[in-house]
Amino acid sequence: MDAFRRVLPARRQSISIEDMPIPERLNPSFASARPPEVDFIEEARKRLIVALDVPDAASAAELVGQLEKSCRWFKVGLELFVAAGPAFVELLVARGHSVFLDLKLYDIPNTVAGAVRSATALGVKMLTLHAAGGPAMLSAARAALDGVADPPELLAVTVLTSMDQAQVAAVGLNRSPAEQVELLARMGLGARIRGFVCSPLEVASLRALTGPEGVLVIPGIRPAGAATGDQKRIATPAEALRQGASYLVVGRPISQAPDPAEAAEAILKEMADALKS
Ligand code: C5P
């Protein structure tokens, strides 16, 4: 944790009321002002989630320090959470970052509901659970958020982006990945869940199923020419957005780049161009 404080300078500074700009709606010239142009890079920043898949808090702090000027969202997954625990999540939240806690919960309904409550107390904005846990588990997780003010978005993971047809068949499923994704998403919608994780190849069909209300969070993102690693069902950032993704999750193409900030900026530029068109 000390590493985090060393690497990341304090962001909050006190400012007096005189320093604050007049809000546009109170400015008399506002009525005649032209509508502001959409800042597409800013829109892209709101939709890029960087996966902090690193082994300890010090490495994560270093990566966040390199990226926090460009990126708003950070994903804490199993590798970092097992090593650094809830304390690191709370530090990210305290610094004003949006945190996606990707623990892919998969257990009996009572246990998953409890884990959802614990994660909510950490202040995360997104949280994953496996849709394959079934309708009772999904409903219990959703019910755990009833009455919670400003709850995290519950995301049901459909079929892992690392699974191709052979991997899906090996776990006994007699369907294509796309068919299985759709079946699980219908189950999730039935349990009042509107957020899903799927590969870029299924975004368009899930968008058709959920409509604009769906929160579709898409890993398996690879800029043209990037190493695919273990991912199987992939697409470029621009393609995933064009298919209807709400958010893109990017790990190694940023975290393992020689200059992570430069890699993030290049992805944001590609996203902004896609959003513009
Ligand atoms: O390094 P890469 O860009 O492949 O990282 C993708 C991230 O998204 C990883 O943190 C992985 O755990 C996560 N993820 C995924 N497929 C899913 C759900 C989450 O790759 N279905």
Side-chain angles (χ1 to χ4, degrees), residues 51 53 75 77 102 104 157-162 197-198 219-222 228 230-231 249-253 255:
D53 291 332
K75 181 171 87 72
D102 185 19
K104 299 188 179 70
V157 176
T158 56
V159 177
L160 295 171
T161 41
S162 55
V197 181
C198 65
I221 301 298
R222 290 294 180 269
T228 55
D230 53 356
Q231 297 285 20
V249 177
V250 183
R252 287 162 289 183
S255 61

Side-chain angles (χ1 to χ4, degrees), residues 73-77 81 85-94 96-103 105 115-128 145 148-155:
W73 280 90
F74 294 100
K75 181 171 87 72
V76 176
F81 193 77
F88 193 82
V89 172
E90 286 171 330
L91 281 177
L92 285 174
V93 171
H97 298 306
S98 296
V99 179
F100 170 8
L101 186 59
D102 185 19
L103 300 183
L105 305 172
V116 167
R117 282 191 289 273
S118 297
T120 301
L122 296 177
V124 304
K125 292 205 172 146
M126 287 182 187
L127 175 64
T128 46
L145 295 178
V148 171
D150 198 16
E153 192 72 50
L154 264 189
L155 304 172

Side-chain angles (χ1 to χ4, degrees), residues 27-219:
N27 183 337
S29 63
F30 178 56
S32 59
R34 282 189 301 156
E37 290 210 2
V38 180
D39 181 343
F40 287 99
I41 285 282
E42 202 45 42
E43 286 302 305
R45 287 189 213 289
K46 290 181 198 159
R47 291 160 169 255
L48 175 64
I49 302 171
V50 180
L52 300 175
D53 291 332
V54 290
D56 51 52
S59 317
E62 191 180 341
L63 191 54
V64 171
Q66 289 167 315
L67 294 172
E68 66 182 350
K69 275 204 195 111
S70 331
C71 302
R72 299 265 180 85
W73 280 90
F74 294 100
K75 181 171 87 72
V76 176
L78 289 169
E79 182 180 4
L80 181 58
F81 193 77
V82 170
F88 193 82
V89 172
E90 286 171 330
L91 281 177
L92 285 174
V93 171
R95 281 190 72 76
H97 298 306
S98 296
V99 179
F100 170 8
L101 186 59
D102 185 19
L103 300 183
K104 299 188 179 70
L105 305 172
Y106 188 10
D107 209 315
I108 61 171
N110 184 59
T111 302
V112 167
V116 167
R117 282 191 289 273
S118 297
T120 301
L122 296 177
V124 304
K125 292 205 172 146
M126 287 182 187
L127 175 64
T128 46
L129 70 176
H130 268 291
M137 189 197 90
L138 296 179
S139 296
R142 185 65 193 74
L145 295 178
D146 284 344
V148 171
D150 198 16
E153 192 72 50
L154 264 189
L155 304 172
V157 176
T158 56
V159 177
L160 295 171
T161 41
S162 55
M163 296 183 83
D164 56 13
Q165 179 78 60
Q167 294 283 313
V168 169
V171 294
L173 297 170
N174 200 7
R175 290 183 205 90
S176 69
E179 288 166 336
Q180 181 67 6
V181 166
E182 184 168 336
L183 180 143
L184 291 171
R186 285 184 188 280
M187 185 200 293
L189 289 170
R192 298 189 294 133
I193 287 176
R194 62 171 195 168
F196 297 97
V197 181
C198 65
S199 95
L201 308 190
E202 298 96 34
V203 188
S205 60
L206 280 209
R207 179 58 72 200
L209 195 65
T210 65
E213 293 296 298
V215 179
L216 304 182
V217 178
I218 312 302

